[in-house]
């Protein structure tokens, strides 16, 4: 457990020959478990158990706070808390939370003023958000909004959100590339129709119907699209495996994805051939022959 102590509730100082040196850093009320959760390293002779002793007023001092107060790193010293002596139980020399080294941690028995407690709970990865929702309901179901909970970042949720964002981005890029491919294929097919107009006119003059010309060009476009889809299905999985091996990922590919790739290729071929096939089927044979 921990609680921030307002400066007006805890006046911490040290008697020096010139008078009194006042501590201006942050003071906390905490327990031994708080320092353990925060991976705080103490001097070997520290008495951490005094923080939980209800009969002893004690304080754990960070090394930076000790320098500011002019303390030497030993326990044979005292500080003044609101004008009365308080024993130094130890010194914090290292902590994952660096600001803690410039603060002091008071025992619960050292202050009579009410301090709003803050509980630090260590949980398994992925459980911070569910616990942040359930703890206020379990402690005070009638007024859960009276609690303020600051959960750490949910790494799994962030990873899933990033993966979803990347998936949506790749899908959007794929659709845009497919659209550009259809446009490019349609332009190529249209130029092919223009260059083959005399042959189309000859076939129409020999009795070929408009539907036959239309079907021929649609078939040609679908064959080109099928070839592209099969090429993508042949090359795509190999690239996927190479990239996953390089990044240390586990490759995952469903058969439906391969089928979708082939179907998309055929659909793109048909779309790109639709307009040129219609233009070829509507051409007038007599005018084409005369031209």
């Amino acid at each position: 457990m921990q609680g921030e102590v307002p400066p007006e509730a805890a006046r911490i100082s040290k008697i020096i020959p010139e008078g009194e040196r006042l501590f201006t850093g942050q003071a906390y009320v905490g327990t031994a478990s708080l320092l353990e959760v925060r991976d705080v390293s103490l001097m070997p002779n520290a008495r951490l158990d005094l923080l939980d002793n209800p009969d002893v007023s004690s304080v754990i001092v960070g090394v930076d706070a000790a320098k500011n107060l002019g303390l030497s790193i030993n326990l044979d010293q005292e500080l003044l808390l609101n004008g009365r002596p308080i024993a130094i139980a130890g010194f914090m020399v290292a902590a994952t939370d660096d600001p803690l080294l410039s603060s002091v941690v008071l025992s619960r028995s050292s202050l009579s003023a009410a301090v709003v407690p803050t509980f630090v709970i260590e949980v398994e990865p992925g459980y911070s958000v569910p616990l942040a929702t359930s703890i206020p309901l379990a402690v005070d179901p009638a007024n859960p909004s009276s609690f303020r909970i600051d959960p750490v970042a949910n790494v799994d949720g962030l990873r899933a959100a990033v993966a979803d964002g990347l998936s949506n981005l790749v899908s959007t890029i794929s659709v845009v590339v497919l659209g550009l491919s259809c446009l490019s294929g349609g332009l190529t097919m249209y130029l092919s129709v223009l260059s083959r107009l005399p042959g189309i006119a000859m076939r129409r003059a020999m009795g070929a119907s408009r539907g036959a010309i239309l079907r021929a060009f649609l078939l040609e476009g679908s064959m080109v699209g099928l070839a592209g889809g099969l090429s993508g299905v042949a090359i795509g999985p190999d690239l996927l495996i190479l990239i996953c091996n390089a990044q240390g990922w586990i490759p995952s590919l469903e058969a439906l994805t391969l089928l979708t790739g082939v179907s998309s290729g055929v659909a793109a071929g048909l779309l790109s051939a639709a307009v040129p096939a219609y233009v070829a089927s509507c051409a007038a044979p007599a005018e084409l022959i005369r031209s």
Side-chain angles (χ1 to χ4, degrees), residues 68-265:
N68 293 334
L69 285 168
L71 295 172
S72 58
I73 308 300
N74 63 75
L75 301 184
D76 298 330
Q77 304 170 89
E78 287 184 339
L79 291 176
L80 294 180
L81 174 61
N82 297 331
R84 54 187 178 83
I86 182 172
I88 296 178
F91 294 90
M92 300 177 285
V93 295
T96 54
D97 187 4
D98 289 337
L100 203 60
L101 300 181
S102 59
S103 61
V104 298
V105 180
L106 302 167
S107 63
R108 286 182 291 178
S109 58
S110 60
L111 278 180
S112 57
V115 177
V116 178
T118 300
F119 294 90
V120 179
I121 303 175
E122 186 175 10
V123 300
E124 295 293 331
Y127 286 89
S128 59
V129 174
L131 282 176
T133 305
S134 60
I135 287 177
L137 295 173
V139 176
D140 190 357
N143 192 21
S145 60
S146 61
F147 297 90
R148 175 187 170 187
I149 298 183
D150 298 321
V152 297
N154 188 348
V155 178
D156 293 335
L158 290 176
R159 186 183 294 113
V162 171
D164 290 341
L166 289 176
S167 177
N168 293 334
L169 177 62
V170 171
S171 299
T172 302
I173 294 175
S174 300
V175 171
V176 172
V177 171
L178 185 61
L180 293 176
S181 300
C182 292
L183 183 61
S184 175
L187 181 59
T188 302
M189 185 69 72
Y190 183 74
L191 295 176
S192 175
V193 168
L194 293 180
S195 64
R196 295 155 63 181
L197 283 177
I200 296 171
M202 187 63 67
R203 293 185 59 186
R204 288 293 311 278
M206 294 176 63
S209 64
R210 290 183 175 181
I213 300 296
L214 180 66
R215 287 192 296 272
F217 279 97
L218 289 178
L219 180 61
E220 181 179 339
S222 64
M223 289 297 103
V224 173
L226 178 61
L230 292 176
S231 300
V233 167
I235 299 174
D238 295 332
L239 292 177
L240 174 66
I241 292 174
L242 289 176
I243 293 173
C244 289
N245 289 338
Q247 298 293 331
W249 301 337
I250 300 177
S252 176
L253 184 63
E254 299 180 358
L256 181 61
T257 304
L258 301 178
L259 181 61
T260 302
V262 176
S263 302
S264 299

